[in-house]
Amino acid sequence: MKLTITPQAQQWFKTEVGVTAESGIRFYGKIYGKTDVHDGFSIAMSVESPDQPLVEEKIDGITYFIEETDDWFFKGYDLVVDYDKKNDEPKYVFEGNKEDLKQ
């Protein structure tokens, strides 16, 4: 599993969420909604510090991460967090990762 944050998404988090080097952004699955690969679940995010990160990406001192407890939601996929200019919000792209399924 890999987590990628685009520069445009990084800027959105800094501007809109006010995330700083002292905090982090956690991505996780939640009930209700839909993603490209999940029906009945959507992706959520919160500002917090990692406890037991499964994967993390540090950019400019800010930690973006997925916790081990959320493996069920992301298993078999890499997550790319991009910026949707039209909706002025993050855009989540799931990319298949067959190596992740072998583990």
Side-chain angles (χ1 to χ4, degrees):
M1 177 183 316
K2 192 165 103 177
L3 175 61
T4 303
I5 311 297
T6 67
Q8 296 85 356
Q10 163 80 353
Q11 187 57 51
W12 185 89
F13 283 108
K14 283 182 172 179
T15 304
E16 297 297 323
V17 180
V19 67
T20 65
E22 293 79 41
S23 56
I25 298 287
R26 174 185 176 195
F27 300 101
Y28 59 96
K30 68 174 187 170
I31 292 180
Y32 303 116
K34 185 177 186 213
T35 71
D36 292 341
V37 297
H38 302 93
D39 200 16
F41 295 93
S42 60
I43 193 165
M45 65 91 179
S46 63
V47 177
E48 57 186 89
S49 297
D51 181 33
Q52 294 182 309
L54 177 65
V55 63
E56 62 184 10
E57 177 75 20
K58 288 189 182 193
I59 304 170
D60 296 335
I62 300 167
T63 303
Y64 298 87
F65 64 98
I66 296 168
E67 288 285 342
E68 288 181 3
T69 55
D70 297 307
D71 183 48
W72 66 273
F73 187 76
F74 296 98
K75 189 151 186 81
Y77 300 99
D78 292 334
L79 178 64
V80 176
V81 181
D82 201 357
Y83 172 70
D84 182 336
K85 186 176 181 178
K86 179 181 175 187
N87 294 317
D88 188 30
E89 64 185 20
K91 177 171 108 175
Y92 304 103
V93 180
F94 289 85
E95 297 178 346
N97 181 333
K98 292 181 182 180
E99 287 300 312
D100 191 37
L101 292 174
K102 292 179 184 176
Q103 298 176 7

